[in-house]
Amino acid sequence: MLISGWGRFPVINTRVHTPDSIESAASVISQTGALSFRGNGRGYGDCSLNNSAMVSALGLNLFECFDEDSGVLVAGAGVLLSDIVDSFMPRGWFLSVSPGTCFVSLGGAVACDVHGKDHHVSGSFINSVEFIDVITPDHGLLRASPDEHADLFYATFGGMGLTGMIVRVAIRLKRIYGTSVNQVTTRCANLKEVMECFEHGPSWTYSVAWIDCLQRSQRHLGRSLFMGGEFADEGRETGAGLSFSRKKKLSVPFDFPGFALNSMSVRMFNSLYFNRITSRQKRALVSWESFFYPLDAIENWNRIYGARGFTQYQFVIPKEDAEYRLSAILKTIASSGQGSFLTVLKLFGGSNNPGASRAAHDSKVHWDDYEQRNGGMLSFPQEGYTLALDFAIRPDLFALLEELDQMVEQCGGRLYLAKDSRMSERTFQSMYSGHVEHFLKVKKRYDHAGRINTLQSQRLGLAI
């Protein structure tokens, strides 16, 4: 079958197996040569693609047990985050860490070590997981946690499915007392103002900013809408179940023509979106869907970028000189005319934030002279600012992205593997220097023949 990531680039023809039990998954893995693993396909690029065979976790989609006291849910890796929200939000529980879409599988959230709008408070997904069960090619089914097969645990988070098939996850949910979000939106004239909101404004649990990336003048460069939010507490006193509903979805029924997204249309959208807030600040009680998952309200929104597909370019750079570095990057993008109307800025916390890995704070886990600090071995987040931009695939795009690669690399930043579809091996090895060799040692320990590989792992030198 023809298959791709969410960005619809690249597209391959391959076999896909969908076992409906852990036992059948183990059987498929033992009888298959080169292969890769896949969740709900929301990785943007080629991180799950294999030309020979792919094994889908979507058949492992059952809740197994839930502890009402601790909030720990044990579920199959094919369960979607949307399944968890739909089932547990009415009961007063929500995801401790959630990405910008809830249509991600539990296994995919682990493999990508996803992050959300609260990274500065909660860290990445690894910090909400008690243990994972992984089928490895060499050792079969293993339970991995900070205290058991810790090397496998930390290599699997952010490891893009290259250590084995994640089949079960024990995730810790957080207690909430309302399903609405108190949101404050602040108009920021430029990059300096929005960074002030992140670093010196009110201490929000959730914070994010939309940026107009086509502004060129220094006065308006990086003009933004900063959004801070907290769950409302309307149900704290009553102790009753929470009101819960989903909005009716819209759908994009066809691929937009290639000319629909151009600098003029993006500039017009950006102007309308920025000016929808007419005052300096706007306070509103908004739905959980519109705050956490605005794009989930539009089915097949990836069709907006046309039949060629798109790539999301997401990077993180250190806080030091971040305003100067981000300004240079935004000027480069604006000059190219290849702007993105989905441009999102967030602030990541560091290894000392409350969400940093429990192992780093509690047990000081070491292996192979590598100290785990804040996520998995190949996890994306590091302290600093992360910017995500969507670009339609065009012939002149890749030269721009290579230029941006150099700018990100020069300031000690890195790209997000879950979004990548074209980074070079040299760039990856440089950006993740000091992490790759430790990851490969663990991969060889559990998959010495290198049977698990993807187009991405082959491209980046992670295939053994």
Side-chain angles (χ1 to χ4, degrees):
M1 63 182 293
L2 293 177
I3 198 164
S4 71
W6 184 245
R8 304 170 73 196
F9 171 83
V11 180
I12 64 169
N13 193 354
T14 189
R15 294 177 298 146
V16 179
H17 304 274
T18 308
D20 59 2
S21 69
I22 292 176
E23 293 73 22
S24 58
S27 177
V28 168
I29 293 169
S30 67
Q31 297 175 35
T32 307
L35 76 168
S36 66
F37 306 112
R38 182 179 176 90
N40 201 33
R42 286 302 180 112
Y44 280 58
D46 55 1
C47 59
S48 69
L49 304 183
N50 182 288
N51 285 317
S52 299
M54 298 171 61
V55 183
S56 169
L58 292 183
L60 309 177
N61 59 355
L62 299 178
F63 295 143
E64 297 185 10
C65 61
F66 178 67
D67 187 323
E68 196 76 37
D69 294 324
S70 65
V72 174
L73 168 68
V74 179
V79 166
L80 303 187
L81 301 188
S82 59
D83 300 330
I84 296 175
V85 172
D86 290 349
S87 298
F88 290 92
M89 198 173 208
R91 298 163 60 178
W93 297 94
F94 190 64
L95 300 160
S96 297
V97 173
S98 179
T101 173
C102 61
F103 297 127
V104 173
S105 68
L106 270 178
V110 170
C112 300
D113 194 19
V114 298
H115 57 271
K117 298 176 177 68
D118 59 342
H119 185 274
H120 57 292
V121 173
S122 305
S124 56
F125 200 72
I126 191 172
N127 298 305
S128 66
V129 174
E130 298 291 314
F131 67 80
I132 54 176
D133 287 348
V134 185
I135 301 175
T136 65
D138 292 354
H139 303 285
L141 181 64
L142 296 174
R143 177 154 295 180
S145 72
D147 302 312
E148 185 178 8
H149 299 297
D151 57 344
L152 179 62
F153 184 79
Y154 289 108
T156 300
F157 280 89
M160 309 312 296
L162 297 175
T163 59
M165 183 176 181
I166 304 159
V167 293
R168 181 184 286 119
V169 181
I171 178 177
R172 191 172 56 258
L173 305 181
K174 65 182 290 184
R175 175 66 79 178
I176 60 172
Y177 297 94
T179 58
S180 299
V181 176
N182 289 311
Q183 175 182 289
V184 174
T185 304
T186 303
R187 273 174 62 116
C188 302
N190 49 47
L191 194 58
K192 183 179 181 63
E193 286 191 12
V194 74
M195 293 175 73
E196 285 286 326
C197 287
F198 275 112
E199 297 188 42
H200 304 296
S203 181
W204 298 102
T205 300
Y206 302 100
S207 59
V208 65
W210 167 87
I211 287 188
D212 180 354
C213 66
L214 284 182
Q215 294 296 313
R216 296 192 186 190
S217 71
Q218 192 63 40
R219 181 182 177 187
H220 296 300
L221 186 70
R223 71 172 183 175
S224 317
L225 295 178
F226 172 89
M227 287 152 278
E230 301 285 351
F231 271 111
D233 282 357
E234 63 260 29
R236 183 181 291 272
E237 298 300 326
T238 65
L242 302 182
S243 61
F244 179 85
S245 62
R246 278 193 177 274
K247 294 180 179 178
K248 185 177 180 180
K249 294 183 181 297
L250 302 174
S251 181
V252 180
F254 54 83
D255 295 335
F256 278 31
F259 61 80
L261 282 182
N262 54 58
S263 59
M264 183 177 296
S265 62
V266 173
R267 196 178 301 277
M268 183 181 300
F269 171 87
N270 286 356
S271 179
L272 291 171
Y273 192 80
F274 180 75
N275 288 304
R276 69 190 179 90
I277 305 296
T278 57
S279 58
R280 167 63 176 168
Q281 277 195 340
K282 178 182 178 181
R283 296 179 178 272
L285 189 66
V286 301
S287 72
W288 60 273
E289 281 184 289
S290 63
F291 184 82
F292 289 101
Y293 314 115
L295 282 177
D296 284 355
I298 307 173
E299 292 181 346
N300 304 315
W301 64 261
N302 52 355
R303 289 181 174 176
I304 292 173
Y305 292 92
R308 290 181 180 178
F310 74 103
T311 187
Q312 184 170 106
Y313 189 83
Q314 184 169 3
F315 64 88
V316 58
I317 61 172
K319 288 178 69 173
E320 184 179 3
D321 295 327
E323 183 183 348
Y324 170 78
R325 302 284 188 177
L326 284 171
S327 294
I329 290 171
L330 288 172
K331 286 178 182 177
T332 300
I333 294 169
S335 297
S336 76
Q338 300 189 67
S340 159
F341 60 78
L342 297 175
T343 304
V344 175
L345 182 71
K346 294 194 290 284
L347 178 64
F348 282 162
S351 59
N352 294 323
N353 74 325
S357 172
R358 295 189 308 280
H361 288 280
D362 300 336
S363 55
K364 299 293 183 184
V365 170
H366 294 258
W367 64 87
D368 297 335
D369 298 322
Y370 179 87
E371 181 179 354
Q372 183 57 41
R373 292 192 179 276
N374 192 17
M377 290 182 183
L378 295 182
S379 291
F380 167 66
Q382 65 180 44
E383 185 174 16
Y385 282 93
T386 177
L387 188 69
L389 309 102
D390 290 346
F391 294 102
I393 300 296
R394 294 178 180 142
D396 54 349
L397 170 65
F398 297 101
L400 169 64
L401 298 186
E402 288 176 7
E403 184 177 359
L404 297 182
D405 287 351
Q406 295 177 19
M407 299 175 77
V408 172
E409 181 184 352
Q410 287 171 2
C411 60
R414 61 173 67 137
L415 304 186
Y416 192 10
L417 296 183
K419 311 295 179 66
D420 168 59
S421 61
R422 34 65 54 194
M423 177 172 34
S424 71
E425 178 177 351
R426 189 213 64 78
T427 298
F428 167 71
Q429 297 283 340
S430 173
M431 289 181 173
Y432 285 80
S433 177
H435 299 253
V436 176
E437 54 267 37
H438 296 289
F439 174 81
L440 289 177
K441 282 182 181 180
V442 178
K443 177 170 171 58
K444 290 177 182 178
R445 196 171 296 154
Y446 295 96
D447 178 27
H448 76 280
R451 290 173 53 211
I452 307 171
N453 65 83
T454 60
L455 297 187
Q456 183 183 68
S457 71
Q458 296 166 20
R459 174 166 50 84
L460 300 182
L462 289 173
I464 58 176

